[in-house]
Amino acid sequence: MREIKFRAWDFEQRKMFTPASIPNYLPEDGDYYHYMQFTGLKDGEGRDIYEDDIVKMVKDKFSWGKVVYKAPRFVVVDQEGNSYHLDYQLPATRVAGNVHEHPDLLK
């Protein structure tokens, strides 16, 4: 069974709270905070992969993508809108950032 944990982006402070640094109480997802769930997977370098991470994938060619949840699993959606099952891409996947701190990576 995978570990259930979240991180949170604070829109006001423009700061990411890691699971260990989330205060005891944060309001619900909405105007001030955006919560992102841990996928239960790690990239090729052993880093946790969260929803809304931007990852670099190497398939036939180098590609950037955003981690999103599409039932029943997390997938990577690349710049062209193609979806890849994240769990099959792990050895060739690296977390490059996230959509809040590094939105320029998806441009």
PDB file of all heavy atoms in Angstrom, residues 24-57:
ATOM      1  N   ASN A  24      -0.164  22.462  11.492  1.00  0.00           N
ATOM      2  CA  ASN A  24      -1.202  21.553  11.973  1.00  0.00           C
ATOM      3  C   ASN A  24      -2.536  21.785  11.300  1.00  0.00           C
ATOM      4  O   ASN A  24      -3.316  20.871  11.130  1.00  0.00           O
ATOM      5  CB  ASN A  24      -1.368  21.671  13.490  1.00  0.00           C
ATOM      6  CG  ASN A  24      -0.212  21.041  14.219  1.00  0.00           C
ATOM      7  OD1 ASN A  24       0.488  20.204  13.669  1.00  0.00           O
ATOM      8  ND2 ASN A  24       0.002  21.453  15.447  1.00  0.00           N
ATOM      9  N   TYR A  25      -2.829  23.008  10.926  1.00  0.00           N
ATOM     10  CA  TYR A  25      -4.107  23.292  10.283  1.00  0.00           C
ATOM     11  C   TYR A  25      -3.902  24.246   9.121  1.00  0.00           C
ATOM     12  O   TYR A  25      -3.323  25.318   9.281  1.00  0.00           O
ATOM     13  CB  TYR A  25      -5.100  23.919  11.270  1.00  0.00           C
ATOM     14  CG  TYR A  25      -6.367  24.343  10.574  1.00  0.00           C
ATOM     15  CD1 TYR A  25      -7.321  23.404  10.199  1.00  0.00           C
ATOM     16  CD2 TYR A  25      -6.572  25.673  10.229  1.00  0.00           C
ATOM     17  CE1 TYR A  25      -8.457  23.791   9.519  1.00  0.00           C
ATOM     18  CE2 TYR A  25      -7.708  26.063   9.547  1.00  0.00           C
ATOM     19  CZ  TYR A  25      -8.651  25.126   9.196  1.00  0.00           C
ATOM     20  OH  TYR A  25      -9.765  25.507   8.508  1.00  0.00           O
ATOM     21  N   LEU A  26      -4.338  23.836   7.963  1.00  0.00           N
ATOM     22  CA  LEU A  26      -4.416  24.718   6.800  1.00  0.00           C
ATOM     23  C   LEU A  26      -5.851  24.650   6.312  1.00  0.00           C
ATOM     24  O   LEU A  26      -6.473  23.589   6.332  1.00  0.00           O
ATOM     25  CB  LEU A  26      -3.486  24.261   5.676  1.00  0.00           C
ATOM     26  CG  LEU A  26      -1.997  24.478   5.868  1.00  0.00           C
ATOM     27  CD1 LEU A  26      -1.236  23.919   4.670  1.00  0.00           C
ATOM     28  CD2 LEU A  26      -1.661  25.934   6.061  1.00  0.00           C
ATOM     29  N   PRO A  27      -6.397  25.778   5.850  1.00  0.00           N
ATOM     30  CA  PRO A  27      -7.765  25.748   5.322  1.00  0.00           C
ATOM     31  C   PRO A  27      -7.875  24.799   4.125  1.00  0.00           C
ATOM     32  O   PRO A  27      -6.873  24.351   3.582  1.00  0.00           O
ATOM     33  CB  PRO A  27      -8.009  27.189   4.881  1.00  0.00           C
ATOM     34  CG  PRO A  27      -6.934  27.998   5.499  1.00  0.00           C
ATOM     35  CD  PRO A  27      -5.784  27.073   5.765  1.00  0.00           C
ATOM     36  N   GLU A  28      -9.086  24.552   3.700  1.00  0.00           N
ATOM     37  CA  GLU A  28      -9.325  23.690   2.542  1.00  0.00           C
ATOM     38  C   GLU A  28      -8.684  24.272   1.291  1.00  0.00           C
ATOM     39  O   GLU A  28      -8.407  25.452   1.207  1.00  0.00           O
ATOM     40  CB  GLU A  28     -10.827  23.537   2.312  1.00  0.00           C
ATOM     41  CG  GLU A  28     -11.514  22.744   3.393  1.00  0.00           C
ATOM     42  CD  GLU A  28     -12.989  22.562   3.097  1.00  0.00           C
ATOM     43  OE1 GLU A  28     -13.391  22.604   1.924  1.00  0.00           O
ATOM     44  OE2 GLU A  28     -13.732  22.356   4.065  1.00  0.00           O
ATOM     45  N   ASP A  29      -8.467  23.398   0.310  1.00  0.00           N
ATOM     46  CA  ASP A  29      -7.960  23.794  -0.995  1.00  0.00           C
ATOM     47  C   ASP A  29      -8.837  24.918  -1.534  1.00  0.00           C
ATOM     48  O   ASP A  29     -10.049  24.872  -1.419  1.00  0.00           O
ATOM     49  CB  ASP A  29      -8.049  22.573  -1.924  1.00  0.00           C
ATOM     50  CG  ASP A  29      -7.093  22.634  -3.097  1.00  0.00           C
ATOM     51  OD1 ASP A  29      -6.137  23.404  -3.051  1.00  0.00           O
ATOM     52  OD2 ASP A  29      -7.328  21.874  -4.048  1.00  0.00           O
ATOM     53  N   GLY A  30      -8.258  25.930  -2.091  1.00  0.00           N
ATOM     54  CA  GLY A  30      -9.074  27.014  -2.614  1.00  0.00           C
ATOM     55  C   GLY A  30      -8.255  28.242  -2.931  1.00  0.00           C
ATOM     56  O   GLY A  30      -7.232  28.150  -3.595  1.00  0.00           O
ATOM     57  N   ASP A  31      -8.693  29.392  -2.426  1.00  0.00           N
ATOM     58  CA  ASP A  31      -8.068  30.660  -2.762  1.00  0.00           C
ATOM     59  C   ASP A  31      -6.643  30.817  -2.235  1.00  0.00           C
ATOM     60  O   ASP A  31      -5.838  31.502  -2.834  1.00  0.00           O
ATOM     61  CB  ASP A  31      -8.906  31.822  -2.234  1.00  0.00           C
ATOM     62  CG  ASP A  31     -10.247  31.925  -2.944  1.00  0.00           C
ATOM     63  OD1 ASP A  31     -10.354  31.404  -4.076  1.00  0.00           O
ATOM     64  OD2 ASP A  31     -11.171  32.512  -2.373  1.00  0.00           O
ATOM     65  N   TYR A  32      -6.334  30.210  -1.096  1.00  0.00           N
ATOM     66  CA  TYR A  32      -5.036  30.430  -0.470  1.00  0.00           C
ATOM     67  C   TYR A  32      -4.061  29.268  -0.605  1.00  0.00           C
ATOM     68  O   TYR A  32      -2.860  29.465  -0.624  1.00  0.00           O
ATOM     69  CB  TYR A  32      -5.215  30.753   1.014  1.00  0.00           C
ATOM     70  CG  TYR A  32      -6.050  31.987   1.232  1.00  0.00           C
ATOM     71  CD1 TYR A  32      -7.360  31.884   1.665  1.00  0.00           C
ATOM     72  CD2 TYR A  32      -5.547  33.248   0.961  1.00  0.00           C
ATOM     73  CE1 TYR A  32      -8.142  33.009   1.844  1.00  0.00           C
ATOM     74  CE2 TYR A  32      -6.320  34.385   1.135  1.00  0.00           C
ATOM     75  CZ  TYR A  32      -7.622  34.260   1.581  1.00  0.00           C
ATOM     76  OH  TYR A  32      -8.384  35.369   1.744  1.00  0.00           O
ATOM     77  N   TYR A  33      -4.578  28.056  -0.661  1.00  0.00           N
ATOM     78  CA  TYR A  33      -3.722  26.876  -0.701  1.00  0.00           C
ATOM     79  C   TYR A  33      -4.165  25.915  -1.796  1.00  0.00           C
ATOM     80  O   TYR A  33      -5.340  25.800  -2.085  1.00  0.00           O
ATOM     81  CB  TYR A  33      -3.768  26.119   0.640  1.00  0.00           C
ATOM     82  CG  TYR A  33      -3.265  26.940   1.786  1.00  0.00           C
ATOM     83  CD1 TYR A  33      -4.146  27.600   2.627  1.00  0.00           C
ATOM     84  CD2 TYR A  33      -1.905  27.065   2.036  1.00  0.00           C
ATOM     85  CE1 TYR A  33      -3.689  28.371   3.678  1.00  0.00           C
ATOM     86  CE2 TYR A  33      -1.437  27.837   3.091  1.00  0.00           C
ATOM     87  CZ  TYR A  33      -2.333  28.484   3.909  1.00  0.00           C
ATOM     88  OH  TYR A  33      -1.878  29.238   4.933  1.00  0.00           O
ATOM     89  N   HIS A  34      -3.174  25.238  -2.360  1.00  0.00           N
ATOM     90  CA  HIS A  34      -3.454  24.172  -3.319  1.00  0.00           C
ATOM     91  C   HIS A  34      -2.696  22.937  -2.842  1.00  0.00           C
ATOM     92  O   HIS A  34      -1.476  22.968  -2.663  1.00  0.00           O
ATOM     93  CB  HIS A  34      -2.989  24.562  -4.719  1.00  0.00           C
ATOM     94  CG  HIS A  34      -3.143  23.462  -5.713  1.00  0.00           C
ATOM     95  ND1 HIS A  34      -4.365  23.005  -6.153  1.00  0.00           N
ATOM     96  CD2 HIS A  34      -2.219  22.700  -6.346  1.00  0.00           C
ATOM     97  CE1 HIS A  34      -4.185  22.022  -7.009  1.00  0.00           C
ATOM     98  NE2 HIS A  34      -2.884  21.819  -7.138  1.00  0.00           N
ATOM     99  N   TYR A  35      -3.431  21.847  -2.595  1.00  0.00           N
ATOM    100  CA  TYR A  35      -2.845  20.609  -2.103  1.00  0.00           C
ATOM    101  C   TYR A  35      -2.525  19.676  -3.262  1.00  0.00           C
ATOM    102  O   TYR A  35      -3.298  19.560  -4.206  1.00  0.00           O
ATOM    103  CB  TYR A  35      -3.810  19.907  -1.138  1.00  0.00           C
ATOM    104  CG  TYR A  35      -4.078  20.744   0.083  1.00  0.00           C
ATOM    105  CD1 TYR A  35      -5.184  21.570   0.153  1.00  0.00           C
ATOM    106  CD2 TYR A  35      -3.191  20.729   1.152  1.00  0.00           C
ATOM    107  CE1 TYR A  35      -5.417  22.362   1.268  1.00  0.00           C
ATOM    108  CE2 TYR A  35      -3.425  21.519   2.269  1.00  0.00           C
ATOM    109  CZ  TYR A  35      -4.539  22.320   2.324  1.00  0.00           C
ATOM    110  OH  TYR A  35      -4.757  23.099   3.416  1.00  0.00           O
ATOM    111  N   MET A  36      -1.374  19.009  -3.146  1.00  0.00           N
ATOM    112  CA  MET A  36      -0.932  18.070  -4.165  1.00  0.00           C
ATOM    113  C   MET A  36      -0.597  16.748  -3.495  1.00  0.00           C
ATOM    114  O   MET A  36       0.140  16.717  -2.509  1.00  0.00           O
ATOM    115  CB  MET A  36       0.291  18.624  -4.890  1.00  0.00           C
ATOM    116  CG  MET A  36      -0.051  19.848  -5.720  1.00  0.00           C
ATOM    117  SD  MET A  36       1.341  20.966  -5.881  1.00  0.00           S
ATOM    118  CE  MET A  36       1.242  21.824  -4.322  1.00  0.00           C
ATOM    119  N   GLN A  37      -1.132  15.672  -4.038  1.00  0.00           N
ATOM    120  CA  GLN A  37      -0.967  14.354  -3.434  1.00  0.00           C
ATOM    121  C   GLN A  37       0.285  13.655  -3.947  1.00  0.00           C
ATOM    122  O   GLN A  37       0.634  13.743  -5.131  1.00  0.00           O
ATOM    123  CB  GLN A  37      -2.188  13.492  -3.718  1.00  0.00           C
ATOM    124  CG  GLN A  37      -2.178  12.185  -2.980  1.00  0.00           C
ATOM    125  CD  GLN A  37      -3.499  11.433  -3.115  1.00  0.00           C
ATOM    126  OE1 GLN A  37      -4.408  11.853  -3.815  1.00  0.00           O
ATOM    127  NE2 GLN A  37      -3.585  10.302  -2.451  1.00  0.00           N
ATOM    128  N   PHE A  38       0.948  12.946  -3.056  1.00  0.00           N
ATOM    129  CA  PHE A  38       2.083  12.099  -3.397  1.00  0.00           C
ATOM    130  C   PHE A  38       1.573  10.939  -4.252  1.00  0.00           C
ATOM    131  O   PHE A  38       0.565  10.325  -3.939  1.00  0.00           O
ATOM    132  CB  PHE A  38       2.725  11.587  -2.103  1.00  0.00           C
ATOM    133  CG  PHE A  38       3.849  10.613  -2.289  1.00  0.00           C
ATOM    134  CD1 PHE A  38       4.912  10.879  -3.141  1.00  0.00           C
ATOM    135  CD2 PHE A  38       3.859   9.431  -1.572  1.00  0.00           C
ATOM    136  CE1 PHE A  38       5.954   9.972  -3.286  1.00  0.00           C
ATOM    137  CE2 PHE A  38       4.898   8.522  -1.706  1.00  0.00           C
ATOM    138  CZ  PHE A  38       5.945   8.797  -2.559  1.00  0.00           C
ATOM    139  N   THR A  39       2.253  10.638  -5.333  1.00  0.00           N
ATOM    140  CA  THR A  39       1.826   9.571  -6.240  1.00  0.00           C
ATOM    141  C   THR A  39       2.155   8.178  -5.706  1.00  0.00           C
ATOM    142  O   THR A  39       1.657   7.189  -6.226  1.00  0.00           O
ATOM    143  CB  THR A  39       2.502   9.711  -7.614  1.00  0.00           C
ATOM    144  OG1 THR A  39       3.922   9.543  -7.442  1.00  0.00           O
ATOM    145  CG2 THR A  39       2.194  11.052  -8.260  1.00  0.00           C
ATOM    146  N   GLY A  40       3.022   8.121  -4.711  1.00  0.00           N
ATOM    147  CA  GLY A  40       3.502   6.826  -4.228  1.00  0.00           C
ATOM    148  C   GLY A  40       4.709   6.339  -5.014  1.00  0.00           C
ATOM    149  O   GLY A  40       5.216   5.256  -4.768  1.00  0.00           O
ATOM    150  N   LEU A  41       5.188   7.158  -5.951  1.00  0.00           N
ATOM    151  CA  LEU A  41       6.301   6.791  -6.823  1.00  0.00           C
ATOM    152  C   LEU A  41       7.475   7.743  -6.639  1.00  0.00           C
ATOM    153  O   LEU A  41       7.307   8.878  -6.208  1.00  0.00           O
ATOM    154  CB  LEU A  41       5.845   6.827  -8.285  1.00  0.00           C
ATOM    155  CG  LEU A  41       4.648   5.938  -8.628  1.00  0.00           C
ATOM    156  CD1 LEU A  41       4.145   6.251 -10.029  1.00  0.00           C
ATOM    157  CD2 LEU A  41       5.020   4.472  -8.495  1.00  0.00           C
ATOM    158  N   LYS A  42       8.648   7.274  -7.015  1.00  0.00           N
ATOM    159  CA  LYS A  42       9.852   8.096  -6.979  1.00  0.00           C
ATOM    160  C   LYS A  42      10.449   8.142  -8.383  1.00  0.00           C
ATOM    161  O   LYS A  42      10.291   7.206  -9.163  1.00  0.00           O
ATOM    162  CB  LYS A  42      10.859   7.518  -5.991  1.00  0.00           C
ATOM    163  CG  LYS A  42      10.338   7.558  -4.548  1.00  0.00           C
ATOM    164  CD  LYS A  42      11.380   7.066  -3.581  1.00  0.00           C
ATOM    165  CE  LYS A  42      10.870   7.079  -2.159  1.00  0.00           C
ATOM    166  NZ  LYS A  42      10.845   8.388  -1.556  1.00  0.00           N
ATOM    167  N   ASP A  43      11.130   9.247  -8.683  1.00  0.00           N
ATOM    168  CA  ASP A  43      11.733   9.360 -10.007  1.00  0.00           C
ATOM    169  C   ASP A  43      13.007   8.521 -10.076  1.00  0.00           C
ATOM    170  O   ASP A  43      13.371   7.836  -9.113  1.00  0.00           O
ATOM    171  CB  ASP A  43      11.965  10.829 -10.385  1.00  0.00           C
ATOM    172  CG  ASP A  43      13.118  11.502  -9.647  1.00  0.00           C
ATOM    173  OD1 ASP A  43      13.785  10.858  -8.805  1.00  0.00           O
ATOM    174  OD2 ASP A  43      13.344  12.702  -9.898  1.00  0.00           O
ATOM    175  N   GLY A  44      13.688   8.585 -11.201  1.00  0.00           N
ATOM    176  CA  GLY A  44      14.895   7.791 -11.411  1.00  0.00           C
ATOM    177  C   GLY A  44      16.031   8.136 -10.470  1.00  0.00           C
ATOM    178  O   GLY A  44      17.003   7.393 -10.371  1.00  0.00           O
ATOM    179  N   GLU A  45      15.932   9.281  -9.761  1.00  0.00           N
ATOM    180  CA  GLU A  45      16.953   9.687  -8.799  1.00  0.00           C
ATOM    181  C   GLU A  45      16.477   9.517  -7.356  1.00  0.00           C
ATOM    182  O   GLU A  45      17.116   9.994  -6.430  1.00  0.00           O
ATOM    183  CB  GLU A  45      17.369  11.125  -9.065  1.00  0.00           C
ATOM    184  CG  GLU A  45      18.050  11.271 -10.417  1.00  0.00           C
ATOM    185  CD  GLU A  45      18.438  12.692 -10.755  1.00  0.00           C
ATOM    186  OE1 GLU A  45      18.033  13.626 -10.024  1.00  0.00           O
ATOM    187  OE2 GLU A  45      19.152  12.868 -11.747  1.00  0.00           O
ATOM    188  N   GLY A  46      15.302   8.884  -7.180  1.00  0.00           N
ATOM    189  CA  GLY A  46      14.814   8.610  -5.839  1.00  0.00           C
ATOM    190  C   GLY A  46      13.994   9.711  -5.184  1.00  0.00           C
ATOM    191  O   GLY A  46      13.657   9.616  -4.009  1.00  0.00           O
ATOM    192  N   ARG A  47      13.645  10.774  -5.940  1.00  0.00           N
ATOM    193  CA  ARG A  47      12.828  11.860  -5.386  1.00  0.00           C
ATOM    194  C   ARG A  47      11.351  11.538  -5.490  1.00  0.00           C
ATOM    195  O   ARG A  47      10.906  10.978  -6.495  1.00  0.00           O
ATOM    196  CB  ARG A  47      13.112  13.174  -6.122  1.00  0.00           C
ATOM    197  CG  ARG A  47      14.461  13.766  -5.752  1.00  0.00           C
ATOM    198  CD  ARG A  47      14.699  15.037  -6.491  1.00  0.00           C
ATOM    199  NE  ARG A  47      15.128  14.635  -7.838  1.00  0.00           N
ATOM    200  CZ  ARG A  47      15.484  15.466  -8.779  1.00  0.00           C
ATOM    201  NH1 ARG A  47      15.423  16.744  -8.598  1.00  0.00           N
ATOM    202  NH2 ARG A  47      15.876  15.008  -9.953  1.00  0.00           N
ATOM    203  N   ASP A  48      10.584  11.922  -4.445  1.00  0.00           N
ATOM    204  CA  ASP A  48       9.134  11.738  -4.463  1.00  0.00           C
ATOM    205  C   ASP A  48       8.514  12.494  -5.629  1.00  0.00           C
ATOM    206  O   ASP A  48       8.934  13.611  -5.944  1.00  0.00           O
ATOM    207  CB  ASP A  48       8.504  12.266  -3.168  1.00  0.00           C
ATOM    208  CG  ASP A  48       8.832  11.421  -1.954  1.00  0.00           C
ATOM    209  OD1 ASP A  48       9.410  10.331  -2.111  1.00  0.00           O
ATOM    210  OD2 ASP A  48       8.500  11.865  -0.835  1.00  0.00           O
ATOM    211  N   ILE A  49       7.505  11.885  -6.258  1.00  0.00           N
ATOM    212  CA  ILE A  49       6.772  12.527  -7.350  1.00  0.00           C
ATOM    213  C   ILE A  49       5.376  12.860  -6.841  1.00  0.00           C
ATOM    214  O   ILE A  49       4.668  11.991  -6.334  1.00  0.00           O
ATOM    215  CB  ILE A  49       6.670  11.618  -8.589  1.00  0.00           C
ATOM    216  CG1 ILE A  49       8.061  11.230  -9.078  1.00  0.00           C
ATOM    217  CG2 ILE A  49       5.866  12.319  -9.690  1.00  0.00           C
ATOM    218  CD1 ILE A  49       8.057  10.227 -10.219  1.00  0.00           C
ATOM    219  N   TYR A  50       4.990  14.140  -6.978  1.00  0.00           N
ATOM    220  CA  TYR A  50       3.691  14.635  -6.550  1.00  0.00           C
ATOM    221  C   TYR A  50       2.862  15.076  -7.749  1.00  0.00           C
ATOM    222  O   TYR A  50       3.401  15.420  -8.808  1.00  0.00           O
ATOM    223  CB  TYR A  50       3.858  15.850  -5.622  1.00  0.00           C
ATOM    224  CG  TYR A  50       4.291  15.504  -4.230  1.00  0.00           C
ATOM    225  CD1 TYR A  50       5.627  15.315  -3.922  1.00  0.00           C
ATOM    226  CD2 TYR A  50       3.362  15.373  -3.215  1.00  0.00           C
ATOM    227  CE1 TYR A  50       6.037  14.994  -2.640  1.00  0.00           C
ATOM    228  CE2 TYR A  50       3.746  15.054  -1.925  1.00  0.00           C
ATOM    229  CZ  TYR A  50       5.082  14.867  -1.647  1.00  0.00           C
ATOM    230  OH  TYR A  50       5.467  14.551  -0.376  1.00  0.00           O
ATOM    231  N   GLU A  51       1.569  15.110  -7.539  1.00  0.00           N
ATOM    232  CA  GLU A  51       0.641  15.715  -8.488  1.00  0.00           C
ATOM    233  C   GLU A  51       1.140  17.140  -8.765  1.00  0.00           C
ATOM    234  O   GLU A  51       1.643  17.803  -7.864  1.00  0.00           O
ATOM    235  CB  GLU A  51      -0.713  15.733  -7.790  1.00  0.00           C
ATOM    236  CG  GLU A  51      -1.879  16.174  -8.573  1.00  0.00           C
ATOM    237  CD  GLU A  51      -3.155  16.001  -7.754  1.00  0.00           C
ATOM    238  OE1 GLU A  51      -3.124  15.862  -6.523  1.00  0.00           O
ATOM    239  OE2 GLU A  51      -4.198  16.021  -8.396  1.00  0.00           O
ATOM    240  N   ASP A  52       1.021  17.595  -9.990  1.00  0.00           N
ATOM    241  CA  ASP A  52       1.455  18.916 -10.453  1.00  0.00           C
ATOM    242  C   ASP A  52       2.964  19.092 -10.544  1.00  0.00           C
ATOM    243  O   ASP A  52       3.445  20.192 -10.771  1.00  0.00           O
ATOM    244  CB  ASP A  52       0.855  20.058  -9.624  1.00  0.00           C
ATOM    245  CG  ASP A  52      -0.616  20.269  -9.916  1.00  0.00           C
ATOM    246  OD1 ASP A  52      -1.097  19.794 -10.963  1.00  0.00           O
ATOM    247  OD2 ASP A  52      -1.298  20.907  -9.099  1.00  0.00           O
ATOM    248  N   ASP A  53       3.731  18.011 -10.387  1.00  0.00           N
ATOM    249  CA  ASP A  53       5.164  18.102 -10.663  1.00  0.00           C
ATOM    250  C   ASP A  53       5.360  18.191 -12.163  1.00  0.00           C
ATOM    251  O   ASP A  53       4.552  17.692 -12.951  1.00  0.00           O
ATOM    252  CB  ASP A  53       5.917  16.873 -10.136  1.00  0.00           C
ATOM    253  CG  ASP A  53       6.372  17.023  -8.703  1.00  0.00           C
ATOM    254  OD1 ASP A  53       6.380  18.157  -8.179  1.00  0.00           O
ATOM    255  OD2 ASP A  53       6.725  15.998  -8.091  1.00  0.00           O
ATOM    256  N   ILE A  54       6.451  18.815 -12.543  1.00  0.00           N
ATOM    257  CA  ILE A  54       6.866  18.844 -13.942  1.00  0.00           C
ATOM    258  C   ILE A  54       8.030  17.875 -14.039  1.00  0.00           C
ATOM    259  O   ILE A  54       9.002  17.981 -13.279  1.00  0.00           O
ATOM    260  CB  ILE A  54       7.284  20.257 -14.375  1.00  0.00           C
ATOM    261  CG1 ILE A  54       6.104  21.213 -14.233  1.00  0.00           C
ATOM    262  CG2 ILE A  54       7.817  20.230 -15.814  1.00  0.00           C
ATOM    263  CD1 ILE A  54       6.467  22.673 -14.401  1.00  0.00           C
ATOM    264  N   VAL A  55       7.899  16.911 -14.926  1.00  0.00           N
ATOM    265  CA  VAL A  55       8.937  15.890 -15.054  1.00  0.00           C
ATOM    266  C   VAL A  55       9.521  15.894 -16.462  1.00  0.00           C
ATOM    267  O   VAL A  55       8.874  16.282 -17.422  1.00  0.00           O
ATOM    268  CB  VAL A  55       8.405  14.479 -14.702  1.00  0.00           C
ATOM    269  CG1 VAL A  55       7.980  14.414 -13.246  1.00  0.00           C
ATOM    270  CG2 VAL A  55       7.263  14.063 -15.603  1.00  0.00           C
ATOM    271  N   LYS A  56      10.761  15.467 -16.519  1.00  0.00           N
ATOM    272  CA  LYS A  56      11.465  15.297 -17.789  1.00  0.00           C
ATOM    273  C   LYS A  56      11.465  13.807 -18.068  1.00  0.00           C
ATOM    274  O   LYS A  56      11.856  13.003 -17.218  1.00  0.00           O
ATOM    275  CB  LYS A  56      12.886  15.835 -17.647  1.00  0.00           C
ATOM    276  CG  LYS A  56      13.744  15.673 -18.866  1.00  0.00           C
ATOM    277  CD  LYS A  56      15.062  16.389 -18.721  1.00  0.00           C
ATOM    278  CE  LYS A  56      15.962  15.700 -17.744  1.00  0.00           C
ATOM    279  NZ  LYS A  56      17.331  16.251 -17.727  1.00  0.00           N
ATOM    280  N   MET A  57      10.991  13.427 -19.241  1.00  0.00           N
ATOM    281  CA  MET A  57      10.941  12.024 -19.630  1.00  0.00           C
ATOM    282  C   MET A  57      11.824  11.795 -20.840  1.00  0.00           C
ATOM    283  O   MET A  57      11.939  12.664 -21.697  1.00  0.00           O
ATOM    284  CB  MET A  57       9.518  11.616 -20.015  1.00  0.00           C
ATOM    285  CG  MET A  57       8.488  11.806 -18.949  1.00  0.00           C
ATOM    286  SD  MET A  57       6.844  11.392 -19.565  1.00  0.00           S
ATOM    287  CE  MET A  57       6.645  12.561 -20.908  1.00  0.00           C
TER     288      MET A  57
END
